Amino acid sequence: MKRYHLLRSSWQIMLMLMCCSYGVAYGKEKTKVTYSADHLKGGEVDGEPYVQLNDHVVFKLEKMIIYADKVLYYTKKKKVEAHGNVKIVHEDGSIMTAEELTYEEHQAKLRKQVVYQSEETTFYTDHFDYNTETKQGHFVQGGRLIESTNVLTSDAGDYNDISKTANFYQNVQRNNQDYCVQCDALHYNTVTKIASFKGTTVITSQDGKQTLTTQEGGEYNTNNQQSTFKQSQIETTTYIMSADLLRADAKRETYSATGQIKLTFKEENVT
């Protein structure tokens, strides 16, 4: 009997070690799940079985890998709750980090100190919901997108990782070393590098010597630094010019206007 208990105990220890390093589960669509951690235990809450993994957790699900300090995996509904130093590495190489994550049916909800890195773009927020299947996400508690020297901020917005487009709403600002843009809404394509401004827009040079205002928004190409604005006005230290259509070339520091044009020189006060 003693030998039997000893063998049984040995097998139990071996089984626990295997569970801590590797686990497999299958969902409704036979999605493979594997995981490893320093510590593992199982339990049940309201009839829902779960596996709890602690310390150095590596959780592989669908086309991504989740790293965290702690993970609760509800095996029936295939729900993942991750806490502490959460990091998600997607198949395409994009990376998300946060302090908390809830994942269920392709919906990832990331909270607290969220950072999303995709190619040359880095996005920061505290509240980000992301669909891993459609690769679309949105935020509602403030966000900041950084690409090279360009910084975009707003209260709310959304991002599509397939079309590489981002929309920003409410208190939108775009800053770089040359200009500061304030507008009602902004659409930005990270591939074409074209920013489209919606509604009332104010663009001010960082030295404060030039200000462009428009009620109808416009478009700006960050590659060639050329822009187009309707029903707009440009004010410099020497003149004020308004037109139905205004084109600007930031590199050449030139402007062209068409339609109904009004030009006023400040010193001579000539219109």
Side-chain angles (χ1 to χ4, degrees), residues 143-204:
R144 178 165 52 104
L145 179 75
I146 298 178
E147 183 189 47
S148 184
T149 60
N150 297 301
V151 180
L152 281 165
T153 60
S154 70
D155 292 345
D158 54 70
Y159 181 73
N160 189 316
D161 202 20
I162 295 177
S163 63
K164 303 297 181 183
T165 56
N167 294 295
F168 295 83
Y169 313 101
Q170 303 171 19
N171 298 316
V172 182
Q173 286 194 19
R174 177 186 177 277
N175 285 279
N176 61 22
Q177 69 271 26
D178 298 315
Y179 292 93
C180 173
V181 180
Q182 295 175 300
C183 59
D184 294 337
L186 185 148
H187 174 84
Y188 184 63
N189 189 306
T190 61
V191 177
T192 64
K193 311 299 182 184
I194 294 177
S196 300
F197 311 108
K198 309 295 181 182
T200 302
T201 303
V202 179
I203 303 176
T204 307

Side-chain angles (χ1 to χ4, degrees), residues 48-214:
E48 179 67 37
Y50 70 86
V51 176
Q52 180 176 321
L53 303 108
N54 293 307
D55 305 320
H56 302 102
V57 181
V58 180
F59 195 98
K60 297 181 181 180
L61 174 67
E62 297 173 356
K63 297 180 180 180
M64 62 183 182
I65 303 174
I66 301 171
Y67 301 88
D69 294 337
K70 175 183 175 181
V71 166
L72 284 172
Y73 176 53
Y74 297 91
T75 56
K76 276 189 177 180
K77 55 185 177 182
K78 312 306 173 190
K79 180 180 179 180
V80 178
E81 293 180 356
H83 303 272
N85 298 305
V86 179
K87 180 180 179 181
I88 305 173
V89 180
H90 296 272
E91 188 181 45
D92 60 4
S94 60
I95 298 173
M96 295 179 179
T97 59
E99 283 302 305
E100 297 177 359
L101 164 71
T102 300
Y103 182 82
E104 186 176 11
E105 296 183 354
H106 305 295
Q107 297 291 334
K109 296 181 178 181
L110 297 102
R111 302 293 184 265
K112 300 179 182 179
Q113 301 179 36
V114 182
V115 181
Y116 179 19
Q117 294 178 301
S118 179
E119 297 179 354
E120 299 177 354
T121 303
T122 305
F123 176 72
Y124 300 87
T125 187
D126 279 327
H127 188 286
F128 191 59
D129 292 344
Y130 184 77
N131 188 303
T132 59
E133 196 168 43
T134 64
K135 296 187 180 296
Q136 296 180 4
H138 67 275
F139 63 96
V140 293
Q141 295 184 6
R144 178 165 52 104
L145 179 75
I146 298 178
E147 183 189 47
S148 184
T149 60
N150 297 301
V151 180
L152 281 165
T153 60
S154 70
D155 292 345
D158 54 70
Y159 181 73
N160 189 316
D161 202 20
I162 295 177
S163 63
K164 303 297 181 183
T165 56
N167 294 295
F168 295 83
Y169 313 101
Q170 303 171 19
N171 298 316
V172 182
Q173 286 194 19
R174 177 186 177 277
N175 285 279
N176 61 22
Q177 69 271 26
D178 298 315
Y179 292 93
C180 173
V181 180
Q182 295 175 300
C183 59
D184 294 337
L186 185 148
H187 174 84
Y188 184 63
N189 189 306
T190 61
V191 177
T192 64
K193 311 299 182 184
I194 294 177
S196 300
F197 311 108
K198 309 295 181 182
T200 302
T201 303
V202 179
I203 303 176
T204 307
S205 61
Q206 294 292 5
D207 59 14
K209 294 181 179 180
Q210 297 180 6
T211 301
L212 185 147
T213 58
T214 175

